[in-house]
Amino acid sequence: MSGLDITDLSKHYGSFHAVKSISLGVLPGEFVVMVGPSGCGKSTLLRMIAGLETVDGGMIRVGDMDVTHAEPSKRGVAMVFQNYALYPHMTVDGNMGFGLRMAGASREVIAAAVSRAAGILRIADHLPKLPKGLSGGQKQRVAIGRAITRAPKIFLFDEPLSNLDAELRTRMRVELGRLHQDLGATMIYVTHDQVEAMTMADRIVVLRDGEIEQMGPPLDLYNRPANRFVAGFLGAPRMNIVAARIVAAEDRVVTVEAACLGRIPLELDVTEGRALLPGEPVTLGLRPEAFRGGDLPLRLIVQLVESLGRETLVHGHPIGVGTALGDPEGNGGDGAEDALVIQLPDQQRPRMGDAFEARTDRRALYLFDADGRTRRFARVG
Amino acid sequence: MMYETSRNGVAGRPGHAREHLTYLLMLAPALLLLGVFVFVPVVLVIAGSFYEFSLTSEDGRFVGLGNYLRIAGDEIFWIALRNNIIIVVGSVVLQVGMGTVLAAILDRGIGVGRTLLRTIIFAPMVISSVAVGLVWTIILDPNVGPMNAAVTGLGLTPPRLGWLGDPTVSIWVILGIATWQYTGFLMVLILAGLQSVPKELYQAAALDGATGLRAFWHITLPSIRNVLVVAVLITTVGGFKIFDLVFVTTGGGPANATQVLGTYIYLQAFNIGDLGHAHAMSVVLLMIAVVLGWLQLRVSRTA
Amino acid sequence: MMNNALRPAVLAALLAFAHPAVADDQVQIKFWTLNDAGMAEVYAEAIKAFETTNPGIHIVHEEFPADSYKTAIQVALNGSEPPDAFFNWVGEDSARLVRSGLVADITAYGTEETGFQSVLSPAWIDSLTYNGRIYGVPTEAVSKYFYYNRSFFAEHGLEVPATFGELTQLCRDIRAIDPTIVPLPLGNSERWKLNHYITMLNERIVGAEAAADDYSLKASEDQLFTDPGFVEAWRKVLELQKAGCFQDAPNATAPELTRAMFSSGASPMIYCGSWCAAIFDADGFTDYAMFQMPPVEGGKGAAGTNFVLVQGFQVPVASKHPEEAVRWLSFLVSPEISRLMAERMGRIPANPAQLGQSTALTEQFKWMAQDVSAVTAQINVLDVLLENSVSEAYLNAGVEVLNGTMTPEAAMESIRAAALKAKERM
């Protein structure tokens, strides 16, 4: 079992700097999920690890071996592609055994490896079939089986579940998690789906514009996002962002004023960073699930109600925003949205156009400065 | 689902009948043309192959299988058939082979000037075979042609009887001209096939340890198998149909050395006027075509 | 009131009805020829002149490309709308149509003072006479000569050869002057060039009369093409080749190229048709004169014979107006039109009466016309004269003898085999 060490890795496409000096260590047996919006460099990074993209600078090591410029097949990695990339002219059997065949393994060795992998993935019945006779889920299983057969040091997954429907995706998620536990292999998984990241990862790496924004265990990132980008990226529905302004500052405590929430004193968790002086624009973050009662009333005009049975999502426009502060441009320009989402833990049916009052707690508030850095985290539990 | 129920539920049986009539009416012009210009002539040719007759004779003399027996004993027919086979096999190997190699180079190797190269290599295809033949006749002229000058310049000796005058060389020269003319077409055909192979397959193969020639062998070739089957079939049919190129360059000569079925049938029908013999040979050519068509159907079905 | 848009249509319909009434008292003669460049204008002039003096006859001229002409004619003659007069090569092409009964016996026509039977010499009329009946009107002929470069001959003191032996010696002499000169280029890529040589060599050695029964396949099976003279004729071809007359690859050389070799002065001789004179003139080369294929020592050829390929017109048996058609054809061989054909198209006409008076014709042309009219026996070219499959065998044998892939003996064996098969089919 091997880990992975990436040091100062960078990649240019012409003038586009796709990967900017990224360093990352992956422990043996760790399941690391790289997330980020499209174009953030996560796939490029994965493909550089696989050897499918050349490296412009930095180093990649698998275990003790420098593989920065090694052939893809000599790196001890296997990759599972979004569109499966099964060889259409080979049977499932042939697909899974191809890597070992190319490596010159004997027929018996190949057969044993294939049947072991097929057993793990429960696809033994499909071995004689051609890929075109399989469903999407089965194909992805074969693609994973092909990776397993090669017994790689590291598994690389490039958005492997994106082409599957929602139900199948959920099942495969569970299955991949189980597989990781069974094999105990090092896995690096790229996705833009934060649910996959949250559910499967030992550690999440959030990427933006070719740089690592933050990495850590899923709940750490969820609870203590380093900045507004990470905060907004993890969690669905997204965290509500509300424009506010510092009205008073005193040591570790600032008083902010938001149009819909009034004046609230907040204790800072992070003191380094820009000075938070009175008049400084900031933003407040509130998770949709944070409206479970508390000392802060928030009134909004209901625009849309999504009844999910177990819960209800209320979309609405907070009353007072854009009028009370009289500064609509200051509101919108700072990433704050004028529509909020409130997740209610039961079935309610507020009518559209009606005013609706939700209550939250100041303990649930995040505070982001004008640079987007988190200065106060919500208190959990 | 909605579509099916509404079709079955609302349209019902009378609608089906009307639909069939519509289809039939739409097919009618094509069927009529096909009938008049393909089926009727085919039947006439088959019927004619049992008679001995010429262009001027009013009625033929029924000779049964006589014309076919004459084919068996006709030395030149076998030369022509052998030449067709040389052209077919040579074309498949050279045109499809080189077309594949060129396509692979353009697909993966060369980035700059790809369109220009593709256009240049494809260009001969848009010239009629007659023009191609005439141009090559000039190039290969033993007295003033540039080919002899080039070969002599390389310190080699061109054939003394001329490229198109030496019976041991000329059929291969024609094969060369045909290759020059059609390789570009096959390259474009195969290139289209290559470009439809998903790039991920090559990436997966690279991870599996197959790159370069091994990837070409294990991934590229199987992926474009159907295109290659079509290419081989087009080339094979073209090789059996070849006429104008031979007619213009050698006229089947020297002394029948480059005769192919097409030119020999023409010779028998229009120069010698032995239409029965020509008909019988046409039927043989037709049978070859039918067998090839059947093979193609079989191959494409199993693919 | 008639709708404006309708009026033209109605007028057209009225005209269409009116047309047959006009045509009723006029005979239409459908006249088919090859589409030789420039010929259509000459025919148009002739038609105009003819129609003025023959107001009751209207000539409709239609042209066809040479390569598909034979087929077009054979199909048309069997079809429902044949022409009334059509071009044909005299020889096997014309004879076959006579044998099949597709062309009319016109012995009864053209006997008036201006009729073709009155203006043409018996030798010409004979060319289209079969079993004593006339089946067509010969209008012109082509012949074949050795052209030579007069300056070159004068400069090197070369003489026109009197015998075949002298001809081969001439080649050796020219090679001795400069071995890179091809004395007598041969463009046999289309096979007929050597066929013209062998046609005349057969005549010079075997003799036309002796060969006639072989050519017509009338000779008995054990005699057919067994005259050793036929083999000897092929040997003469090899003698020319050995004397260095030809270039290396005659079978891959186009006839056009050899003509250019001569007219450019690169080669001092060429065996070329009478039509070549106009080509050389057009190339700007006029410093030439001609001589016939010289007699072969010990050969049985008759004096005064030469290659003469007659062309003319035949009348389909299905024509409704044979008399008018022949009147038109007679006009085509009148002294005036014959002279027009010679001056404008360089044709050697069947009726040379007015050629002497022409100032537009070259001395060489007048010499050729004179020479052709002096021919006592017209030697028809083998690929026209012979039955198709025998002709094919002769053409191929020529290629193989030149290539050295067949001996003269083997060549005659293959020709005899083809002749025997053809005779069996007849």
Side-chain angles (χ1 to χ4, degrees), chain B residues 52 54-58 70 73 76 137 140-144 159-167 250-251 253-256 259 266-267 270-274, chain C residues 67 70-71 74-75 77-78 96-97 100 102 189 191 241 247-254 257 261 387-389 392 396-397 399-400 402-405 421 425:
Chain B
E52 189 181 287
S54 71
L55 271 176
T56 42
S57 57
E58 303 248 306
R70 275 175 61 206
I76 300 165
T137 310
L140 297 171
D141 181 277
N143 311 285
V144 296
R160 192 181 58 83
L161 298 175
W163 298 98
L164 296 170
D166 187 328
T250 63
N256 294 321
Q259 211 69 262
Y266 179 91
L267 178 84
F270 299 109
N271 286 11
I272 294 187
D274 192 347
Chain C
D67 51 0
K70 285 187 189 185
T71 315
Q74 301 201 347
V75 172
L77 290 181
N78 286 305
R96 188 172 43 228
L97 299 185
S100 329
L102 291 169
S189 66
R191 302 189 296 177
Q241 198 173 32
Q247 78 285 14
D248 264 349
N251 287 324
T253 304
L257 185 86
M261 286 167 82
E387 192 274 341
N388 288 331
S389 62
E392 185 66 22
N396 282 339
V399 171
E400 299 229 33
L402 279 178
N403 265 359
T405 48
K421 266 192 202 167
R425 277 201 301 276

Side-chain angles (χ1 to χ4, degrees), chain A residues 141-186:
Chain A
R141 241 188 271 255
V142 173
I144 295 166
R146 183 168 64 181
I148 293 173
T149 309
R150 293 187 48 215
K153 293 174 180 143
I154 301 176
F155 286 84
L156 305 175
F157 295 90
D158 189 4
E159 311 213 14
L161 307 185
S162 314
N163 283 6
L164 304 178
D165 63 47
E167 191 202 336
L168 202 54
R169 209 180 306 167
T170 312
R171 284 217 325 255
M172 286 299 289
R173 228 160 50 204
V174 174
E175 205 158 331
L176 276 172
R178 182 180 61 83
L179 188 71
H180 176 235
Q181 276 175 357
D182 289 356
L183 296 174
T186 311

Side-chain angles (χ1 to χ4, degrees), chain A residues 34 36-38 42-43 46 79-84 140 156-164 188-193 196:
Chain A
M34 301 200 284
S38 42
K42 57 185 189 296
S43 279
L46 191 77
M79 186 156 165
V80 177
F81 295 84
Q82 175 176 350
N83 57 7
Y84 327 125
Q140 196 53 283
L156 305 175
F157 295 90
D158 189 4
E159 311 213 14
L161 307 185
S162 314
N163 283 6
L164 304 178
I188 299 175
Y189 189 107
V190 159
T191 182
H192 62 267
D193 181 342
E196 287 174 21

Side-chain angles (χ1 to χ4, degrees), chain B residues 24 29 50 57 84 91 98 100 102 113 117 125 191 237 274 292:
Chain B
L24 207 65
F50 299 112
S57 57
N84 271 115
S91 294
M98 277 168 47
T100 309
L102 285 171
L117 275 173
M125 173 66 194
L191 186 58
V237 171
D274 192 347
L292 285 175

